[in-house]
Amino acid sequence: MSKSKKKGKSKETVSPNERVIAENRKARHDYHILETLECGIVLVGSEVKSLRNGAVSLAESYGKVKSGEVWLVGCDIQEYVEANRFNHKPKRDRKLLMHQREIKRFAMRAYEKGLTLVPLRLYFRRGLAKVLLGLCKGKQDFDKREAKKKAEAARGLRLSLMKRR
């Protein structure tokens, strides 16, 4: 009986009642993630059906504060084929649901200090669409090289330990 490791999990724990739709793995490479916050997202019916099919991309999306509200900009949710004329615009801005105190503490910190709000993961929790939003600081090229060296060293160590077994 051997232990099997699940691949593809992010650093945050994924509970059994969550179904991950999309993950922004490139964000972990490009940014230092200082803090995370789970928030809801306002969607229309055809967007929810597209999400259930997994037709979404978080690659170039980010959070933006407009008039005291936080919006998800650049998230591409493809059109749902069966929705006909009631379909949605794929790249429209979507409102994120946060309490006022969370907006003041989290989003305004990003605005004041020059940090970025980056969506890290989009998932369903108990039937509701949620976004894990990260407060991030951009990495420099030397930071990325250093992280890659550490990952390669750890991988080499794991491989050498596996060969000894």
Side-chain angles (χ1 to χ4, degrees):
M1 201 157 111
S2 65
K3 291 182 182 177
S4 63
K5 293 184 180 179
K6 291 184 180 179
K7 293 185 178 180
K9 272 193 171 181
S10 65
K11 293 180 183 178
E12 288 88 15
T13 58
V14 178
S15 69
N17 61 350
E18 284 182 12
R19 194 182 107 206
V20 177
I21 304 162
E23 194 161 355
N24 192 353
R25 296 187 323 196
K26 185 133 176 100
R28 299 196 184 284
H29 181 264
D30 292 340
Y31 298 98
H32 291 290
I33 300 168
L34 306 175
E35 194 176 340
T36 60
L37 179 70
E38 177 186 70
C39 50
I41 184 169
V42 177
L43 300 170
V44 295
S46 60
E47 289 174 326
V48 175
K49 291 189 177 210
S50 286
L51 288 181
R52 293 201 187 280
N53 289 338
V56 63
S57 172
L58 293 175
E60 297 176 2
S61 57
Y62 60 94
K64 185 175 185 179
V65 180
K66 289 186 212 172
S67 64
E69 297 175 336
V70 182
W71 294 80
L72 184 63
V73 180
C75 178
D76 186 17
I77 300 177
Q78 296 175 6
E79 290 184 344
Y80 185 63
V81 179
E82 286 84 22
N84 60 43
R85 68 175 187 242
F86 300 110
N87 234 325
H88 61 277
K89 293 179 182 174
K91 286 233 179 200
R92 74 177 185 92
D93 296 351
R94 293 165 179 91
K95 184 177 177 182
L96 296 177
L97 303 173
M98 301 168 74
H99 292 284
Q100 285 297 317
R101 66 179 178 273
E102 291 173 339
I103 293 172
K104 286 178 185 171
R105 184 180 63 84
F106 194 75
M108 291 303 176
R109 230 174 92 191
Y111 181 71
E112 292 169 2
K113 295 186 179 180
L115 303 174
T116 307
L117 294 173
V118 179
L120 303 174
R121 189 170 54 208
L122 186 62
Y123 54 93
F124 283 113
R125 173 176 278 173
R126 288 185 248 125
L128 300 175
K130 302 283 184 177
V131 176
L132 184 67
L133 200 63
L135 186 62
C136 303
K137 181 180 179 183
K139 282 186 183 178
Q140 301 294 326
D141 286 337
F142 61 85
D143 290 334
K144 293 177 189 178
R145 286 192 296 266
E146 186 178 316
K148 191 173 182 179
K149 282 181 189 176
K150 286 181 182 178
E152 286 178 7
R155 182 175 180 268
L157 185 63
R158 275 197 321 267
L159 289 175
S160 66
L161 290 175
M162 291 179 91
K163 286 180 182 179
R164 289 183 185 175
R165 289 184 185 177

